[in-house]
Amino acid sequence: MTCVLVTGGAGFIGANFLYFLRQEHPDWHLLNLDLLTYAGNLESLSGFQDDARYTFVRGDIADRALVEDLFTRYPITRVVHFAAESHVDRSILDPGVFVRTNVIGTHTLLEAARQAWKDPAAASSCRFLHVSTDEVYGSLGPGDPPVTETAPYAPRSPYAASKAGADFLARAYFHTYGLPVLVTNCTNNYGPYQFPEKLIPFCLCQALEGKPIPIYGQGTNVRDWLFVEDHCQALAQVLEQGRVGETYNIGGLSEMANLDVVRLLLDSLQELRPGLGDLTRLITLVPDRPGHDWRYALNIDKIQAQLGWRPRVTLAAGLKRTIAWYLSHQDWLDRVRSQVYRDFLQQQYGARVTGKGGPKP
Ligand code: NAD
Ligand code: TYD
């Protein structure tokens, strides 16, 4: 039986991926290592209760003894590495934990895999998929073409810099030790189970409560949006069919300015839940994020040509599915919005969004 170690499986993409993988490979043993930070939520994985092919281990990817022990106790031949600190705004408030988890944690996993897969014959049937971001390529201008996998790295936030460091380590372990590493860089994901600090679920929550929707700067920054189910499909294909040592860009072919994304979200919400009134009145322009990258966009020709993958879900359709999911999972939403969540909003936005006094850092 194939045993796959998924790190960060209690987070947004990790949880979606675990459900996806179970459907794709019902006979695989899924081992989920997650520290359960503010972003990790076991409730997202309630569908795995009593599933004998699933094991949850609470722990830190930077804990060398724990990670080595997992490789000793389980016959792991696949690693899909999601665990990370993932929110740019938090990296601006507290960069240290990003370096620890994203760089040191990734190194710890690579090192443990290298030890466990020392025998070249065994290593040839193993794969380590490191999940990364488009943000490592830096900010694009309006006329720049979407970046390919060979573009130079130019990270500009502490989050992006820590992910770039992790990517370089992953690539180095392939070149130096022959570790069967694959790297993927994807654009902004959205969909079920996303922690409601990120743009789409955050704006949705604010709209449902009739609270201000804070848009940084003029709302002209452009992101490409990838429905998480499309992303999971791409990852599953790269894991099994990708060429080791290579990098694959994964994008949604849905570039849009933030203000337009939010307007589309609000229009769809009004359609699905009429009677909320004119929601665009809630849009509030707030001071920009420091060093806010203007645009990200990925060229996905490589994964299309090599693996035949392309995104299937349009932004309009994906937003509708996302909204419908959140509307029918109000309990999940209420429980993830803990005191820690409220403290972050207070520190990040102050009175503008929470209604309570407080400084904007
Ligand atoms: P997330 O923040 O929702 O989840 C991260 C998970 O990692 C959480 O369950 C958390 O508890 C766990 N974790 C954090 N630190 C840990 C540690 N030290 N040890 C073990 N577990 C730890 O993140 P996400 O949005 O699901 O992103 C998953 C991966 O995809 C990340 O590597 C991120 O950089 C990358 N990515 C995400 C996006 C996006 O739009 N969400 C875009 C590009 C790349
Ligand atoms: P985010 O979801 O934090 O992802 P990232 O910064 O990693 O792309 O933000 C997406 C875009 O939305 C980004 O340009 C910042 C912007 N944004 C706002 O304008 N207001 C907000 O409250 C948030 C959370 C993000």
Coordinates of all heavy atoms in Angstrom, one line a residue, residues 282-360:
L282 N -20.4 48.6 1.1 CA -19.5 48.1 2.2 C -18.0 48.3 1.8 O -17.1 48.2 2.6 CB -19.8 46.7 2.6 CG -21.2 46.4 3.1 CD1 -21.4 44.9 3.3 CD2 -21.5 47.1 4.4
I283 N -17.8 48.3 0.5 CA -16.4 48.4 0.0 C -15.7 49.7 0.5 O -16.2 50.8 0.3 CB -16.3 48.3 -1.5 CG1 -16.8 47.0 -2.0 CG2 -14.9 48.6 -2.0 CD1 -16.8 46.8 -3.5
T284 N -14.6 49.5 1.2 CA -13.9 50.6 1.9 C -12.4 50.6 1.5 O -11.7 49.5 1.7 CB -14.0 50.4 3.4 OG1 -15.3 50.2 3.8 CG2 -13.4 51.6 4.2
L285 N -11.9 51.6 0.8 CA -10.5 51.6 0.5 C -9.7 52.0 1.7 O -10.0 52.9 2.4 CB -10.2 52.7 -0.6 CG -10.9 52.4 -2.0 CD1 -10.6 53.4 -3.0 CD2 -10.6 51.0 -2.5
V286 N -8.7 51.1 2.0 CA -7.9 51.4 3.2 C -6.4 51.5 2.8 O -6.1 51.1 1.7 CB -8.0 50.2 4.2 CG1 -9.5 50.0 4.7 CG2 -7.5 48.9 3.7
P287 N -5.5 52.0 3.7 CA -4.1 52.2 3.3 C -3.5 50.9 2.8 O -3.9 49.8 3.3 CB -3.4 52.7 4.6 CG -4.5 53.3 5.4 CD -5.8 52.5 5.0
D288 N -2.6 51.0 1.8 CA -2.1 49.8 1.1 C -1.2 49.0 2.0 O -0.6 49.5 3.0 CB -1.3 50.3 -0.1 CG -1.4 49.3 -1.2 OD1 -1.9 48.2 -1.0 OD2 -1.0 49.7 -2.4
R289 N -1.1 47.7 1.7 CA -0.2 46.8 2.4 C 1.3 47.3 2.0 O 1.5 47.6 0.9 CB -0.4 45.4 1.8 CG 0.6 44.4 2.1 CD 0.4 43.1 1.3 NE -0.7 42.3 1.8 CZ -1.2 41.2 1.2 NH1 -0.7 40.8 0.0 NH2 -2.1 40.5 1.8
P290 N 2.2 47.3 3.0 CA 3.6 47.7 2.7 C 4.2 46.8 1.6 O 4.0 45.6 1.8 CB 4.3 47.6 4.0 CG 3.3 47.5 5.1 CD 2.0 47.0 4.4
G291 N 4.8 47.3 0.6 CA 5.5 46.5 -0.4 C 4.5 45.7 -1.2 O 4.9 44.6 -1.7
H292 N 3.2 46.1 -1.3 CA 2.2 45.3 -2.0 C 2.5 45.0 -3.4 O 2.6 45.9 -4.3 CB 0.9 46.1 -1.9 CG -0.3 45.3 -2.2 ND1 -1.6 45.8 -2.1 CD2 -0.5 44.0 -2.6 CE1 -2.5 44.9 -2.4 NE2 -1.8 43.8 -2.7
D293 N 2.8 43.7 -3.8 CA 3.1 43.3 -5.1 C 1.9 43.7 -6.0 O 0.8 43.4 -5.7 CB 3.4 41.8 -5.2 CG 4.8 41.5 -4.7 OD1 5.6 42.5 -4.5 OD2 5.0 40.3 -4.4
W294 N 2.2 44.3 -7.2 CA 1.1 44.8 -8.0 C 0.4 43.7 -8.8 O -0.8 43.6 -8.8 CB 1.6 45.9 -9.0 CG 0.5 46.5 -9.6 CD1 -0.4 47.4 -9.0 CD2 -0.1 46.3 -10.9 NE1 -1.4 47.8 -9.8 CE2 -1.3 47.1 -11.0 CE3 0.2 45.5 -12.0 CZ2 -2.1 47.1 -12.1 CZ3 -0.6 45.5 -13.1 CH2 -1.7 46.3 -13.2
R295 N 1.2 42.8 -9.4 CA 0.5 41.7 -10.1 C 1.3 40.4 -10.1 O 2.5 40.5 -10.2 CB 0.3 42.2 -11.6 CG -0.2 41.2 -12.6 CD -0.3 41.8 -14.0 NE -0.5 40.7 -14.9 CZ 0.2 40.5 -16.0 NH1 1.2 41.4 -16.3 NH2 0.0 39.5 -16.8
Y296 N 0.5 39.3 -10.1 CA 1.2 38.0 -10.3 C 0.4 37.3 -11.4 O -0.8 37.4 -11.5 CB 1.0 37.1 -9.1 CG 1.5 37.6 -7.8 CD1 0.7 37.5 -6.6 CD2 2.8 38.0 -7.6 CE1 1.1 37.9 -5.4 CE2 3.2 38.5 -6.4 CZ 2.4 38.4 -5.3 OH 2.8 38.8 -4.0
A297 N 1.1 36.6 -12.3 CA 0.5 35.9 -13.4 C 1.5 34.8 -13.8 O 2.7 35.0 -14.0 CB 0.2 36.8 -14.5
L298 N 1.0 33.6 -14.0 CA 1.8 32.4 -14.4 C 1.5 31.9 -15.8 O 0.3 31.8 -16.2 CB 1.6 31.3 -13.4 CG 2.1 31.5 -12.0 CD1 1.8 30.2 -11.2 CD2 3.6 31.8 -11.9
N299 N 2.5 31.6 -16.5 CA 2.4 30.9 -17.8 C 2.3 29.4 -17.4 O 3.2 28.8 -16.8 CB 3.6 31.2 -18.6 CG 3.6 30.4 -19.9 OD1 3.4 29.2 -20.0 ND2 4.0 31.1 -21.0
I300 N 1.2 28.7 -17.9 CA 1.0 27.3 -17.5 C 1.2 26.4 -18.7 O 0.7 25.2 -18.7 CB -0.3 27.1 -16.8 CG1 -1.5 27.5 -17.7 CG2 -0.4 27.9 -15.5 CD1 -2.8 26.9 -17.3
D301 N 1.9 26.9 -19.8 CA 2.1 26.0 -21.0 C 2.7 24.7 -20.6 O 2.4 23.7 -21.2 CB 3.0 26.7 -22.0 CG 2.2 27.9 -22.6 OD1 1.0 28.1 -22.4 OD2 2.9 28.7 -23.4
K302 N 3.7 24.7 -19.7 CA 4.5 23.5 -19.4 C 3.6 22.3 -18.9 O 3.6 21.2 -19.4 CB 5.6 23.8 -18.4 CG 6.4 22.5 -18.1 CD 7.6 22.9 -17.2 CE 8.3 21.7 -16.7 NZ 9.5 22.0 -15.9
I303 N 2.8 22.6 -17.9 CA 1.9 21.6 -17.3 C 0.9 21.1 -18.3 O 0.5 20.0 -18.4 CB 1.3 22.0 -15.9 CG1 0.7 20.8 -15.2 CG2 0.4 23.1 -16.0 CD1 0.3 21.0 -13.8
Q304 N 0.4 22.1 -19.1 CA -0.6 21.8 -20.1 C 0.0 20.8 -21.2 O -0.6 19.8 -21.5 CB -1.0 23.1 -20.8 CG -2.5 23.2 -21.0 CD -2.9 24.5 -21.5 OE1 -2.5 25.5 -20.9 NE2 -3.7 24.6 -22.5
A305 N 1.3 21.2 -21.6 CA 1.9 20.4 -22.7 C 2.3 19.0 -22.2 O 2.1 18.0 -22.8 CB 3.1 21.1 -23.3
Q306 N 3.0 19.0 -21.0 CA 3.5 17.7 -20.4 C 2.5 16.8 -19.9 O 2.5 15.6 -20.0 CB 4.6 18.0 -19.4 CG 6.0 18.0 -19.9 CD 7.0 18.0 -18.7 OE1 6.8 17.5 -17.6 NE2 8.1 18.7 -18.9
L307 N 1.5 17.4 -19.1 CA 0.6 16.5 -18.3 C -0.8 16.6 -18.8 O -1.7 16.0 -18.2 CB 0.7 16.8 -16.8 CG 2.1 16.8 -16.2 CD1 2.1 17.0 -14.7 CD2 2.8 15.4 -16.5
G308 N -1.1 17.5 -19.7 CA -2.5 17.7 -20.3 C -3.4 18.3 -19.3 O -4.6 18.2 -19.4
W309 N -2.8 19.0 -18.2 CA -3.7 19.6 -17.3 C -4.0 21.1 -17.7 O -3.1 21.8 -18.1 CB -3.1 19.6 -15.9 CG -3.9 20.4 -14.8 CD1 -4.9 19.9 -14.1 CD2 -3.9 21.8 -14.5 NE1 -5.5 20.8 -13.3 CE2 -4.9 22.0 -13.6 CE3 -3.1 22.9 -15.0 CZ2 -5.1 23.3 -13.0 CZ3 -3.4 24.1 -14.5 CH2 -4.4 24.3 -13.5
R310 N -5.3 21.5 -17.5 CA -5.6 22.9 -17.5 C -6.8 23.2 -16.6 O -7.5 22.2 -16.3 CB -5.9 23.4 -18.9 CG -7.0 22.7 -19.7 CD -7.3 23.3 -21.0 NE -8.0 24.6 -20.9 CZ -7.5 25.8 -21.3 NH1 -6.3 25.9 -21.9 NH2 -8.3 26.8 -21.2
P311 N -6.9 24.4 -16.1 CA -8.0 24.6 -15.1 C -9.3 24.5 -15.8 O -9.5 24.9 -17.0 CB -7.8 26.1 -14.7 CG -7.0 26.7 -15.7 CD -6.1 25.6 -16.3
R312 N -10.3 23.9 -15.1 CA -11.6 23.7 -15.7 C -12.7 24.7 -15.2 O -13.7 24.9 -15.8 CB -12.1 22.3 -15.3 CG -11.3 21.2 -15.9 CD -12.1 19.9 -15.9 NE -11.2 18.8 -16.3 CZ -11.1 17.6 -15.7 NH1 -11.9 17.4 -14.7 NH2 -10.3 16.7 -16.2
V313 N -12.4 25.2 -14.0 CA -13.5 26.0 -13.3 C -13.2 27.5 -13.5 O -12.2 28.0 -13.1 CB -13.6 25.7 -11.8 CG1 -14.7 26.4 -11.1 CG2 -13.7 24.1 -11.6
T314 N -14.2 28.2 -14.1 CA -14.0 29.6 -14.3 C -14.2 30.3 -13.0 O -14.7 29.8 -12.0 CB -15.1 30.2 -15.2 OG1 -16.4 30.0 -14.6 CG2 -15.1 29.5 -16.6
L315 N -13.7 31.6 -12.9 CA -13.8 32.3 -11.6 C -15.2 32.5 -11.2 O -15.6 32.4 -10.1 CB -13.0 33.7 -11.8 CG -13.0 34.5 -10.5 CD1 -12.4 33.8 -9.3 CD2 -12.2 35.8 -10.8
A316 N -16.1 32.9 -12.2 CA -17.5 33.1 -11.9 C -18.1 31.8 -11.3 O -18.8 31.9 -10.2 CB -18.3 33.5 -13.1
A317 N -17.9 30.7 -11.9 CA -18.5 29.4 -11.4 C -17.9 29.0 -10.1 O -18.6 28.6 -9.2 CB -18.2 28.3 -12.5
G318 N -16.6 29.2 -10.0 CA -15.9 28.8 -8.7 C -16.3 29.7 -7.5 O -16.5 29.2 -6.4
L319 N -16.6 31.0 -7.8 CA -17.0 31.8 -6.7 C -18.4 31.4 -6.2 O -18.7 31.4 -5.0 CB -17.1 33.3 -7.2 CG -15.7 34.0 -7.2 CD1 -15.9 35.4 -7.7 CD2 -15.1 34.1 -5.8
K320 N -19.3 31.0 -7.2 CA -20.6 30.6 -6.8 C -20.5 29.3 -5.9 O -21.2 29.2 -4.9 CB -21.5 30.3 -8.0 CG -22.0 31.6 -8.7 CD -23.1 31.4 -9.6 CE -23.5 32.8 -10.1 NZ -23.6 32.9 -11.5
R321 N -19.7 28.4 -6.3 CA -19.5 27.2 -5.5 C -18.9 27.5 -4.2 O -19.3 26.9 -3.2 CB -18.6 26.2 -6.3 CG -19.4 25.5 -7.4 CD -18.5 24.7 -8.3 NE -18.0 23.5 -7.6 CZ -17.1 22.6 -8.1 NH1 -16.8 22.8 -9.4 NH2 -16.7 21.7 -7.4
T322 N -18.0 28.4 -4.1 CA -17.4 28.8 -2.8 C -18.4 29.4 -1.9 O -18.5 29.1 -0.7 CB -16.2 29.8 -3.1 OG1 -15.3 29.1 -4.0 CG2 -15.5 30.1 -1.8
I323 N -19.2 30.4 -2.5 CA -20.2 31.0 -1.6 C -21.2 30.0 -1.1 O -21.5 30.0 0.1 CB -20.9 32.2 -2.4 CG1 -19.9 33.2 -2.8 CG2 -22.1 32.8 -1.6 CD1 -20.4 34.2 -3.9
A324 N -21.6 29.2 -2.0 CA -22.6 28.2 -1.6 C -22.1 27.3 -0.5 O -22.8 27.0 0.5 CB -23.0 27.3 -2.8
W325 N -20.8 27.0 -0.6 CA -20.2 26.1 0.5 C -20.2 26.9 1.8 O -20.6 26.3 2.9 CB -18.8 25.7 0.1 CG -18.2 24.7 1.1 CD1 -18.3 23.4 1.1 CD2 -17.5 25.1 2.3 NE1 -17.7 22.8 2.2 CE2 -17.2 23.8 3.0 CE3 -17.0 26.3 2.9 CZ2 -16.5 23.8 4.2 CZ3 -16.3 26.2 4.1 CH2 -16.0 25.0 4.7
Y326 N -19.8 28.1 1.8 CA -19.7 28.9 3.1 C -21.1 29.1 3.7 O -21.3 29.0 4.9 CB -19.0 30.2 2.9 CG -17.5 30.1 2.9 CD1 -16.7 29.8 1.7 CD2 -16.8 30.1 4.1 CE1 -15.3 29.6 1.8 CE2 -15.4 29.9 4.1 CZ -14.7 29.7 3.0 OH -13.3 29.5 3.0
L327 N -22.1 29.3 2.8 CA -23.4 29.5 3.3 C -24.0 28.3 4.0 O -24.8 28.4 4.9 CB -24.4 30.0 2.1 CG -24.1 31.4 1.6 CD1 -25.1 31.7 0.4 CD2 -24.2 32.5 2.6
S328 N -23.5 27.1 3.5 CA -24.1 25.9 4.1 C -23.1 25.4 5.2 O -23.3 24.3 5.7 CB -24.3 24.9 3.0 OG -23.1 24.5 2.4
H329 N -22.1 26.1 5.5 CA -21.2 25.7 6.6 C -20.9 26.8 7.6 O -19.8 27.1 8.0 CB -19.8 25.2 6.0 CG -19.9 23.9 5.3 ND1 -20.4 23.8 4.0 CD2 -19.6 22.6 5.6 CE1 -20.4 22.5 3.6 NE2 -19.9 21.8 4.6
Q330 N -22.0 27.4 8.0 CA -22.0 28.5 9.0 C -21.3 28.0 10.3 O -20.6 28.8 10.9 CB -23.4 29.0 9.2 CG -23.4 30.3 10.0 CD -22.7 31.5 9.3 OE1 -23.0 31.7 8.1 NE2 -21.8 32.2 10.0
D331 N -21.6 26.8 10.7 CA -21.0 26.3 12.0 C -19.5 26.3 11.9 O -18.8 26.6 12.8 CB -21.4 24.9 12.3 CG -22.9 24.8 12.7 OD1 -23.5 25.9 12.8 OD2 -23.4 23.7 12.9
W332 N -19.0 25.8 10.8 CA -17.5 25.7 10.6 C -16.9 27.1 10.7 O -15.9 27.3 11.4 CB -17.2 25.1 9.2 CG -15.8 25.0 8.8 CD1 -15.0 23.9 9.0 CD2 -14.9 25.9 8.2 NE1 -13.7 24.1 8.6 CE2 -13.7 25.4 8.1 CE3 -15.1 27.2 7.7 CZ2 -12.6 26.0 7.5 CZ3 -14.1 27.9 7.1 CH2 -12.8 27.3 7.0
L333 N -17.6 28.0 10.0 CA -17.1 29.4 10.0 C -17.1 30.0 11.4 O -16.2 30.7 11.8 CB -18.1 30.2 9.1 CG -17.6 31.5 8.4 CD1 -16.2 31.3 7.8 CD2 -18.6 31.9 7.4
D334 N -18.2 29.8 12.1 CA -18.3 30.4 13.5 C -17.2 29.9 14.3 O -16.6 30.6 15.1 CB -19.6 30.0 14.1 CG -20.8 30.8 13.5 OD1 -20.5 31.8 12.7 OD2 -22.0 30.3 13.6
R335 N -16.9 28.6 14.2 CA -15.9 28.0 15.1 C -14.5 28.4 14.7 O -13.6 28.5 15.6 CB -16.0 26.5 15.2 CG -17.2 26.1 16.1 CD -17.2 24.7 16.5 NE -17.6 23.8 15.4 CZ -18.9 23.4 15.3 NH1 -19.8 23.8 16.2 NH2 -19.3 22.7 14.3
V336 N -14.1 28.6 13.4 CA -12.8 29.0 13.1 C -12.5 30.4 13.5 O -11.4 30.8 13.6 CB -12.3 28.7 11.6 CG1 -12.4 27.3 11.3 CG2 -13.2 29.5 10.7
R337 N -13.6 31.2 13.6 CA -13.4 32.6 13.9 C -13.2 32.8 15.4 O -14.1 33.4 16.1 CB -14.4 33.5 13.3 CG -14.3 33.5 11.8 CD -15.2 34.5 11.1 NE -16.6 34.2 11.3 CZ -17.5 35.0 11.0 NH1 -17.3 36.1 10.4 NH2 -18.8 34.6 11.2
S338 N -12.1 32.3 15.9 CA -11.9 32.3 17.3 C -11.4 33.7 17.8 O -11.2 34.6 17.0 CB -10.8 31.3 17.6 OG -9.6 31.7 17.0
Q339 N -11.0 33.7 19.1 CA -10.5 35.0 19.6 C -9.2 35.4 18.9 O -8.9 36.5 18.6 CB -10.2 34.8 21.1 CG -9.9 36.2 21.8 CD -10.9 37.2 21.6 OE1 -12.1 37.0 21.6 NE2 -10.5 38.4 21.2
V340 N -8.3 34.4 18.6 CA -7.1 34.6 17.9 C -7.3 35.3 16.6 O -6.7 36.3 16.2 CB -6.3 33.3 17.6 CG1 -5.0 33.5 16.9 CG2 -6.2 32.5 18.9
Y341 N -8.4 34.9 15.9 CA -8.8 35.5 14.6 C -9.2 36.9 14.8 O -8.8 37.8 14.1 CB -9.9 34.6 14.0 CG -10.6 35.2 12.8 CD1 -10.0 35.1 11.6 CD2 -11.9 35.8 12.9 CE1 -10.7 35.7 10.4 CE2 -12.5 36.3 11.8 CZ -11.9 36.3 10.6 OH -12.6 36.8 9.5
R342 N -10.0 37.1 15.8 CA -10.5 38.5 16.1 C -9.3 39.4 16.5 O -9.3 40.6 16.1 CB -11.6 38.5 17.2 CG -12.9 37.9 16.7 CD -13.9 37.7 17.8 NE -14.6 36.4 17.6 CZ -15.5 36.2 16.7 NH1 -15.9 37.1 15.9 NH2 -16.1 35.0 16.6
D343 N -8.4 38.9 17.2 CA -7.2 39.7 17.6 C -6.4 40.1 16.4 O -6.0 41.3 16.3 CB -6.3 38.9 18.5 CG -6.9 38.7 19.9 OD1 -7.9 39.4 20.2 OD2 -6.4 37.9 20.7
F344 N -6.3 39.2 15.4 CA -5.5 39.5 14.2 C -6.2 40.7 13.4 O -5.6 41.6 13.0 CB -5.4 38.3 13.3 CG -4.9 38.7 11.9 CD1 -3.5 38.9 11.7 CD2 -5.7 38.8 10.8 CE1 -3.0 39.3 10.5 CE2 -5.3 39.2 9.6 CZ -3.9 39.4 9.4
L345 N -7.6 40.5 13.3 CA -8.3 41.6 12.5 C -8.1 42.9 13.2 O -8.0 44.0 12.6 CB -9.8 41.2 12.5 CG -10.2 40.0 11.7 CD1 -11.7 40.0 11.5 CD2 -9.5 40.0 10.3
Q346 N -8.2 42.9 14.6 CA -8.0 44.2 15.3 C -6.7 44.8 15.0 O -6.5 46.0 14.8 CB -8.2 43.8 16.8 CG -8.1 45.0 17.7 CD -9.3 46.0 17.5 OE1 -10.3 45.7 16.8 NE2 -9.2 47.2 18.0
Q347 N -5.6 43.9 15.0 CA -4.3 44.4 14.9 C -4.1 44.9 13.4 O -3.4 45.9 13.1 CB -3.3 43.3 15.2 CG -1.9 43.8 15.4 CD -0.9 42.7 15.7 OE1 -1.2 41.5 15.6 NE2 0.3 43.0 16.0
Q348 N -4.7 44.2 12.5 CA -4.4 44.5 11.1 C -5.2 45.7 10.6 O -4.7 46.5 9.8 CB -4.8 43.2 10.2 CG -4.7 43.4 8.8 CD -3.3 43.5 8.3 OE1 -2.3 43.3 9.0 NE2 -3.1 43.9 7.0
Y349 N -6.5 45.8 11.0 CA -7.4 46.8 10.4 C -7.9 47.8 11.4 O -8.4 48.8 11.0 CB -8.6 46.1 9.8 CG -8.3 45.1 8.7 CD1 -8.4 43.7 9.0 CD2 -8.0 45.5 7.4 CE1 -8.2 42.8 8.0 CE2 -7.7 44.5 6.5 CZ -7.8 43.2 6.8 OH -7.6 42.2 5.8
G350 N -7.8 47.5 12.7 CA -8.3 48.4 13.8 C -9.8 48.7 13.6 O -10.6 47.8 13.1
A351 N -10.2 49.9 14.0 CA -11.6 50.2 14.0 C -12.3 50.2 12.7 O -13.5 50.0 12.6 CB -11.8 51.6 14.6
R352 N -11.5 50.4 11.6 CA -12.2 50.4 10.3 C -13.0 49.2 10.0 O -14.0 49.3 9.2 CB -11.1 50.6 9.2 CG -10.7 52.0 8.9 CD -9.8 52.0 7.7 NE -8.7 51.2 7.9 CZ -7.5 51.6 8.4 NH1 -7.4 52.9 8.7 NH2 -6.5 50.8 8.6
V353 N -12.6 48.1 10.5 CA -13.3 46.9 10.1 C -14.0 46.1 11.2 O -15.0 45.5 11.1 CB -12.2 45.9 9.4 CG1 -12.7 44.5 9.4 CG2 -12.0 46.4 8.0
T354 N -13.4 46.2 12.4 CA -14.0 45.5 13.5 C -15.0 46.3 14.3 O -15.8 45.7 15.1 CB -12.9 45.1 14.5 OG1 -12.3 46.3 15.0 CG2 -11.8 44.2 13.9
G355 N -15.0 47.6 14.1 CA -15.9 48.5 14.8 C -15.4 48.8 16.2 O -16.0 49.6 16.9
K356 N -14.2 48.3 16.6 CA -13.6 48.6 17.9 C -12.4 49.5 17.7 O -11.8 49.4 16.6 CB -13.2 47.3 18.6 CG -14.3 46.4 19.1 CD -13.7 45.3 19.9 CE -14.3 44.0 19.6 NZ -13.4 42.9 19.6
G357 N -12.0 50.3 18.7 CA -10.8 51.1 18.5 C -9.6 50.3 18.4 O -9.6 49.1 18.9
G358 N -8.5 50.8 17.9 CA -7.2 50.1 17.8 C -6.3 50.6 16.8 O -6.8 51.1 15.8
P359 N -5.0 50.5 17.0 CA -4.1 51.2 16.1 C -3.9 50.3 14.8 O -4.0 49.1 14.9 CB -2.8 51.2 16.9 CG -2.9 50.1 17.8 CD -4.3 49.9 18.1
K360 N -3.6 50.9 13.7 CA -3.2 50.2 12.5 C -1.6 50.2 12.5 O -1.1 51.3 12.7 CB -3.7 50.9 11.3 CG -3.1 50.5 10.0 CD -3.8 49.4 9.2 CE -3.1 49.1 8.0 NZ -3.2 47.8 7.5

